[in-house]
Amino acid sequence: MPAKLTMPTLGGLANPKFRYVDRDHTNIADTFKRARRALARAQQEAQSAQQTLELEPEGATVVTLPQRAGRRSA
């Protein structure tokens, strides 16, 4: 069986948008700020996407069900 030639994907270092920044020009504080902003944005989008559920809407009538024979309430 002949060997299959596998080419690298455009991820990582082969990506044309990748920019190398050496350690003298890297600001870890800015990196963490950017990560925190992205996390906060994702959480805000996730929370705004969820719908609220009203368990007891205004003006709802609550009806108690009759108990079965032989059962006691706790």
Side-chain angles (χ1 to χ4, degrees), residues 38-54:
L39 180 62
R41 188 179 323 114
Q43 286 176 343
Q44 185 179 24
E45 289 173 2
Q47 191 168 20
S48 66
Q50 293 179 356
Q51 296 179 0
T52 59
L53 175 65
E54 290 186 32

Side-chain angles (χ1 to χ4, degrees), residues 9-20:
T9 61
L10 283 180
L13 298 175
N15 188 343
K17 293 181 181 181
F18 177 78
R19 281 188 18 220
Y20 175 76

Side-chain angles (χ1 to χ4, degrees), residues 47-68:
Q47 191 168 20
S48 66
Q50 293 179 356
Q51 296 179 0
T52 59
L53 175 65
E54 290 186 32
L55 297 177
E56 293 185 18
E58 291 285 324
T61 304
V62 178
V63 179
T64 58
L65 299 175
Q67 291 185 349
R68 290 185 184 176

Side-chain angles (χ1 to χ4, degrees), residues 25-41:
H25 295 98
T26 300
N27 188 342
I28 193 72
D30 287 344
T31 303
F32 276 101
K33 285 180 190 176
R34 186 171 51 248
R36 283 189 198 104
R37 282 194 306 263
L39 180 62
R41 188 179 323 114

